[in-house]
């Protein structure tokens, strides 16, 4: 960990004279990524009854509608609930998986970490159909646990990746040292390993939450009128009627995920600067 | 820290160790006993098994066969955190997220001591290694030598049954190293704790140890005091590993009471004559005297001076005996002043400082 602090070599590696066309290209890519957001946010403040861009007039009526309609607030609450439970479950399972992968011989760990990436690679619809088929039989469709279980599967790769990258900078000798000083395996993990890989665990937690909070494909299959997440509700609101409240909901989703992701960027940074 | 009374002997009996990844034995039927309060070094080249034995005692690995016991109680199968042994690792392995104080307090917290007792013990341990002003620093804010001391304080603060050290001075530069050697010797005196010290540096082992176990290829070649090993090595390997020596292969001739080698013949004492299977004579360079060759002294060992090297405290003279055997002598400045490169000389030594051994590798 201490090696990374060599600021001299970092400075030497930075290129001060980036060609102008490279800078310009960056602006294009950034615009491509951010433009949809820049359209949806102004739309949410529109006064019109339809999706019109540029927005006509200014009002907070769609936000008012969002927070006063039980359907919207219920789905928001469901999404937060599913998101937090998913994040907790995926973080615990993913961290333990990453720790065990790190201890295995390269032969097994390579195979396993490939396998754990499957939910990221398998197309969402295929995954959703498979989940739906199994959950129907197990009567998990439309249940909170069903949502949490499915989202946890999708979120696990993010936790495992982020904890694994933290673990790659962890010296397993420290666990040996802790054991020689009288700490059993669990105590050694909690007092030495966990604090040192915490940045990876925290960012895994946030990524897991965001994965669940944004997820729509699997949730569409698992929804029932009684239990639907925010993205599902947004989809229904567009598919069945034209409800501009969707743009307000979208803006809120963007706000929540942006704040969280920025936090993740900042937290490990603060740790490194010490 | 007061002198400890609860110290117990560490006994290693017939331990054999084979790592799954290798066909060779890391340890081959090794037995030894480490006395309470003793400073014992495991000395040997890398891969000779010394670190493996330390890991076995610490409990990081389990032997393929054989037992380890402390104070008569077998500790095989006991997890490292239940063995109550302090370990200083080669690369220190300080906890980077904890201050010096918290690092040293760590073993005490695992033992659920109360806060005031922890503060007192940590303060005393840090004073012992002369790091009291650094309690609030993080490990990375300390120099290598200071980190080494923290690792040391952390390993002794809980009054372990013994302190095991794996090449703890290996990463330090030469000056710091000799300073830490003196510190170690002082702390060993003050604590009276059993120290087990792994090193590949023969000088370090000779300076520090009460006894040394010399490892070679998974076996212990010899266990003894530094003087024993240096002047009375039991094998050619030990003789060669602990410092320079003149090695003559040959055989005993009882009729003339001499050891006859192609380089020359040396008279033997009565006890030496009884070592009938001896085929090697070892003479340390400090025992050698060199005189310019004259016509009158014809017997003894004749050699030519090949190189004269000034090493500060003395002069090292490299020679070649008549049959091509290389020779080495350490002389004072005044003794060496009469010598010149290429000169023919007569080499002699005090009979009491020659040593006969039997070596299987030699067939002469």
């Amino acid at each position: 960990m201490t090696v990374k602090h060599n600021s001299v070599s970092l400075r030497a590696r930075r290129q001060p004279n980036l060609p102008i066309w490279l800078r310009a290209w960056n602006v294009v890519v950034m615009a491509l990524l951010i433009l949809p957001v820049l359209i949806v946010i102004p739309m949410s403040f529109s006064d019109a009854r339809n999706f019109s861009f540029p927005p006509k007039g200014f009002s907070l009526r769609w936000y008012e509608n969002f927070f006063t309609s039980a359907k919207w607030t219920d789905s928001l609450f469901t999404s937060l609930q599913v998101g937090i439970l998913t994040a907790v479950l995926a973080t615990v399972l993913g961290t333990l998986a990453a720790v065990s992968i790190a201890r295995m011989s390269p032969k097994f760990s390579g195979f396993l970490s490939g396998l754990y990436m499957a939910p990221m690679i398998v197309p969402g619809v295929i995954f959703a159909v498979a989940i739906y088929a199994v959950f129907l039989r197990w009567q998990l469709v439309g249940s909170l646990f069903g949502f949490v279980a499915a989202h946890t599967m999708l979120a696990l790769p993010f936790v495992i990746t982020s904890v694994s990258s933290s673990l790659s900078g962890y010296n397993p000798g420290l666990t040996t040292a802790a054991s020689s000083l009288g700490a059993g395996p669990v105590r050694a993990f909690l007092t030495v390993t966990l604090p040192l890989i915490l940045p990876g665990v925290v960012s895994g937690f946030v990524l897991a939450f965001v994965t669940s909070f944004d997820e729509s494909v699997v949730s569409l299959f698992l929804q029932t009128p009684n239990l639907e997440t925010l993205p599902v509700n947004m989809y229904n609101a567009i598919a069945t009627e034209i409800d501009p409240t969707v743009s307000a909901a979208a803006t809120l989703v963007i706000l929540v995920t942006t704040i969280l992701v920025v936090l993740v960027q900042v937290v490990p940074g603060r740790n490194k600067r010490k | 820290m007061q002198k400890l009374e609860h110290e117990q002997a560490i006994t290693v009996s017939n331990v054999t160790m084979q790592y799954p990844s290798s066909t060779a034995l890391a340890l081959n039927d090794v037995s030894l006993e480490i006395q309470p309060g003793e400073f014992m070094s495991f000395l040997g080249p890398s891969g000779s098994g010394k670190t493996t034995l330390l890991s076995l005692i610490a409990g990081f690995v389990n032997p393929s066969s054989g037992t380890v016991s402390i104070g008569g109680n077998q500790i095989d199968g006991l997890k490292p955190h239940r063995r109550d042994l302090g370990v200083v690792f080669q690369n220190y392995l300080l906890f980077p997220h904890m201050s010096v104080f918290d690092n040293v307090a760590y073993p005490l917290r695992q033992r659920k001591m109360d806060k005031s007792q922890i503060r007192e013990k940590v303060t005393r341990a840090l004073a012992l290694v002369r790091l009291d002003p650094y309690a609030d620093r993080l490990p990375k804010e300390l120099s290598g030598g200071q980190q080494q001391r923290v690792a040391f304080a952390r390993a002794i603060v809980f009054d372990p049954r013994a302190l095991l050290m794996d090449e703890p001075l290996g990463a330090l530069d030469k000056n710091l190293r000799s300073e830490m050697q003196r510190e170690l010797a002082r702390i060993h005196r003050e604590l009276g704790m059993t120290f087990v010290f792994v090193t590949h540096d023969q000088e370090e082992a000779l300076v520090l140890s009460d006894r040394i176990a010399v490892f070679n290829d998974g076996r212990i070649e010899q266990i003894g005091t530094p003087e024993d090993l240096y002047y009375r090595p039991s094998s050619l390997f030990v003789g060669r590993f602990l410092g320079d020596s003149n090695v003559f292969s040959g055989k005993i001739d009882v009729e003339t009471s001499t050891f006859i080698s192609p380089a020359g013949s040396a008279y033997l004492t009565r006890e030496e004559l009884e070592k009938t299977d001896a085929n090697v004579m070892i003479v340390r360079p400090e025992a050698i005297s060199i005189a310019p060759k004259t016509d009158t002294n014809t017997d003894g060992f004749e050699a030519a001076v090949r190189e004269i090297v000034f090493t500060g405290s003395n002069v090292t003279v490299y020679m070649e005996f008549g049959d091509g055997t290389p020779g080495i002598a350490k002389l004072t400045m005044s003794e060496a002043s009469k010598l010149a490169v290429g000169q023919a000389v007569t080499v002699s030594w005090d009979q009491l400082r020659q040593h006969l051994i039997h070596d299987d590798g030699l067939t002469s």
Side-chain angles (χ1 to χ4, degrees), chain B residues 152-225:
Chain B
F152 196 80
R154 187 178 68 172
I156 57 168
V157 70
F158 58 101
D159 299 332
R161 297 197 275 189
L163 179 66
L164 313 178
M165 291 172 276
D166 183 14
E167 310 225 10
L169 310 182
L172 305 179
D173 67 53
K174 198 166 185 283
N175 286 333
L176 203 52
R177 227 179 143 116
S178 59
E179 187 190 321
M180 284 305 297
Q181 284 177 10
R182 285 198 305 277
E183 289 275 281
L184 262 184
R186 171 181 68 84
I187 293 168
H188 181 246
R189 262 196 324 274
E190 281 177 29
L191 294 181
M193 191 184 280
T194 310
F195 279 22
V196 183
F197 187 87
V198 165
T199 182
H200 64 265
D201 183 330
Q202 44 97 6
E203 206 179 306
E204 199 165 87
L206 290 174
V207 169
L208 290 171
S209 318
D210 294 323
R211 283 198 305 156
I212 301 171
V214 181
F215 284 70
N216 181 27
D217 205 16
R219 290 177 178 278
I220 294 181
E221 288 266 337
Q222 189 176 3
I223 304 178
T225 64

Side-chain angles (χ1 to χ4, degrees), chain B residues 282-337:
Chain B
I282 286 182
V283 185
R284 292 293 180 188
E286 299 81 7
I288 301 276
S289 306
I290 299 179
K293 189 189 169 196
T294 60
D295 293 335
T296 50
N297 55 2
T298 46
D299 53 303
F301 288 69
E302 287 174 13
V305 176
R306 288 284 172 244
E307 212 177 329
I308 301 174
V309 180
F310 176 64
T311 54
S313 53
N314 56 25
V315 176
T316 304
V317 179
Y318 295 94
M319 303 165 289
E320 189 179 322
F321 289 97
D323 65 324
T325 306
I328 181 168
K330 289 207 167 83
L331 306 177
T332 63
M333 287 288 282
S334 61
E335 285 170 324
S337 60

Side-chain angles (χ1 to χ4, degrees), chain B residues 65-87:
Chain B
S65 66
T67 60
V68 178
S69 43
I70 300 184
N73 299 316
Q74 232 170 280
I75 56 170
D76 306 280
L78 207 59
K79 294 270 182 250
H81 66 279
R82 301 194 188 281
R83 293 201 175 190
D84 209 22
L85 295 167
V87 184

Side-chain angles (χ1 to χ4, degrees), chain A residues 2 171 179-181 187 191, chain B residues 81 93 97 106 110-111 140:
Chain A
T2 50
N171 181 352
S179 76
S180 80
L181 296 168
R187 294 279 304 163
T191 55
Chain B
H81 66 279
L93 294 176
H97 58 303
Y106 189 86
Q110 301 314 312
R111 286 163 176 77
K140 69 177 166 219

Side-chain angles (χ1 to χ4, degrees), chain A residues 1-2 5 171-185 187-188 191-193 195-196 271-272 274, chain B residues 60 80-82 85-87 89 91-98 103 106-107 109-112 138 140 154-155 158:
Chain A
M1 285 210 110
T2 50
H5 288 264
N171 181 352
L174 292 172
T175 305
T176 310
S179 76
S180 80
L181 296 168
R187 294 279 304 163
T191 55
V192 178
T193 314
L196 288 171
N271 217 336
K272 265 179 220 158
K274 234 194 311 187
Chain B
F60 302 144
H81 66 279
R82 301 194 188 281
L85 295 167
V87 184
F89 299 87
N91 41 1
Y92 319 143
L93 294 176
L94 299 179
F95 304 130
H97 58 303
M98 296 182 197
N103 262 283
Y106 189 86
R109 293 196 174 124
Q110 301 314 312
R111 286 163 176 77
K112 311 259 186 289
L138 284 175
K140 69 177 166 219
R154 187 178 68 172
F158 58 101

Side-chain angles (χ1 to χ4, degrees), chain B residues 11 21 36 65-66 71 110 133 170 189 203 231 248 267 276 281 351:
Chain B
T11 313
S21 54
S65 66
Q110 301 314 312
R189 262 196 324 274
E203 206 179 306
Y231 291 112
F248 305 108
Y267 285 105
T276 47
M281 176 178 276
Q351 216 178 18

